[in-house]
Amino acid sequence: MTRVLLTGGSGFVAAHILESLLAHGHSVIFTVRSTQKGQQILDSHKRYGKDQLDFVVVEDIMRPGAFDSAVVSDPSFEAAIHCASPYHFNAKTPDEINQLIATAVDGTTGILMAIKANAPTVKRVILTSSYAAMVDYGKPMTHVYSEVDWNPITTEQAYQSAPFAYLASKTFAEKAAWDFIKGEKPSFTLTAINPPMVYGPVIHSLSSLDSINTSNARFVSLLKGSPSTSCPPTVNYLFIDVRDLALAHVLALEKREAEDQRFLVTAGNYSNAEIAQVIGEEYPEFKGKMPIGEALKSGERPATGVNGYDNSKSIELLGLQYRPLKESVVGVVESIKGML
């Protein structure tokens, strides 16, 4: 059993990482922004005592020293998973873009500094990064991406659009983490997990579907649509099931071979049109809401090809076995259909 600090505990991905850590017998302290959110999670895990599951409040990860007390525990932490980072495309003004990037970068460097200064027993840090930190839109769409690829986005480009701002936030945050390891030479190792689009069951608390995580929002659009409603464009034709992503974090924490490595974690290619097809086949009650004909074309794979990928490192070093798209789609629909 390893004592693990998990940041962003109330988020879509972190909720699954929490489940995976507990299933593997680890002891977890997770961070949340309010006592209410923390208690909500504890209330849904009443079979675990405080010795195996508890929380600490970190209201603002951008605040200097925000994690200084969070990284201190009795018994001491041996590992940390940093999952707290914004994922949205709402940053449009310069101030909003600056806030998005600063939150991602300062949150990442902040926890690394706090661990180095206050948690000498931590030997492993796992960072939830993103395929966004790998993709290069200057390369052909079919370029085969792997762990050697980096997004070349510049600070100037980051302020051109909300999607660019998000790409920059993930790229700059991961680069800042590796720069910290190189410059500060801490006593812990770093592993970056880089997922593309993340789908699967929503198990964290939602007040309404308006607050669903960004990647699963397209399911709400489809389930509330009509045959003539245009299928959402896919944009990124790579996906991973959130349960596999969670397991990747835990395996990276447990396996020494994962130390100081990046991992592109993906099950492979898909399109939103294929999501619509699975929904129509598996759920007759929603088939009449799925786009058809011309309305479906906007969500199909382009004739020129889709993102290439090499996920062999994650399979060979971590031992991941990826769920197919159908399982992810069913997972999402089953978890949200009662809220429609």
Side-chain angles (χ1 to χ4, degrees), residues 157-183:
Q157 289 171 327
Y159 286 84
Q160 292 178 6
S161 69
F164 276 17
Y166 170 72
L167 294 173
S169 75
K170 299 305 289 187
T171 303
F172 298 167
E174 190 189 340
K175 284 185 174 180
W178 289 115
D179 287 345
F180 182 92
I181 297 296
K182 183 179 179 181

Side-chain angles (χ1 to χ4, degrees), residues 44-95:
S44 64
H45 295 79
K46 288 184 177 177
R47 65 189 181 278
Y48 297 103
K50 290 270 189 177
D51 59 329
Q52 193 166 3
L53 182 64
D54 208 348
F55 70 91
V56 61
V57 174
V58 178
E59 293 181 357
D60 181 6
I61 65 174
M62 281 184 63
R63 182 175 57 80
F67 290 106
D68 285 356
S69 60
V71 300
V72 178
S73 172
D74 183 17
S76 300
F77 289 118
E78 298 154 275
I81 297 177
H82 182 51
C83 193
S85 188
Y87 174 29
H88 62 75
F89 301 113
N90 301 325
K92 296 179 174 64
T93 69
D95 284 347

Side-chain angles (χ1 to χ4, degrees), residues 14-206:
H16 283 273
I17 295 175
L18 176 60
E19 295 297 330
S20 193
L21 284 168
L22 293 171
H24 281 235
H26 300 299
S27 169
V28 186
I29 303 288
F30 58 90
T31 73
V32 282
R33 284 179 289 180
S34 71
T35 300
Q36 179 187 2
K37 285 188 175 183
Q39 192 57 52
Q40 204 170 37
I41 294 171
L42 290 187
D43 288 345
S44 64
H45 295 79
K46 288 184 177 177
R47 65 189 181 278
Y48 297 103
K50 290 270 189 177
D51 59 329
Q52 193 166 3
L53 182 64
D54 208 348
F55 70 91
V56 61
V57 174
V58 178
E59 293 181 357
D60 181 6
I61 65 174
M62 281 184 63
R63 182 175 57 80
F67 290 106
D68 285 356
S69 60
V71 300
V72 178
S73 172
D74 183 17
S76 300
F77 289 118
E78 298 154 275
I81 297 177
H82 182 51
C83 193
S85 188
Y87 174 29
H88 62 75
F89 301 113
N90 301 325
K92 296 179 174 64
T93 69
D95 284 347
E96 290 170 344
I97 291 172
N98 186 61
Q99 176 83 5
L100 175 68
I101 294 172
T103 301
V105 175
D106 294 350
T108 299
T109 55
I111 192 168
L112 297 179
M113 288 189 289
I115 291 170
K116 186 187 179 197
N118 304 295
T121 54
V122 170
K123 300 304 178 187
R124 310 285 290 274
V125 175
I126 314 300
L127 173 67
T128 308
S129 185
S130 174
Y131 172 74
M134 295 177 164
V135 68
D136 180 353
Y137 289 111
K139 292 178 178 176
M141 183 69 168
T142 53
H143 172 75
V144 178
Y145 284 94
S146 71
E147 290 77 8
V148 301
D149 289 290
W150 278 96
N151 188 332
I153 193 166
T154 65
T155 301
E156 182 181 6
Q157 289 171 327
Y159 286 84
Q160 292 178 6
S161 69
F164 276 17
Y166 170 72
L167 294 173
S169 75
K170 299 305 289 187
T171 303
F172 298 167
E174 190 189 340
K175 284 185 174 180
W178 289 115
D179 287 345
F180 182 92
I181 297 296
K182 183 179 179 181
E184 298 292 327
K185 296 178 173 54
S187 57
F188 55 82
T189 62
L190 178 68
T191 303
I193 306 294
N194 299 68
M197 300 303 295
V198 184
Y199 303 126
V202 177
I203 62 171
H204 63 299
S205 178
L206 282 184

Side-chain angles (χ1 to χ4, degrees), residues 140-143 237 301-307:
M141 183 69 168
T142 53
H143 172 75
Y237 297 86
R301 301 188 189 199
T304 51
V306 294
N307 316 53

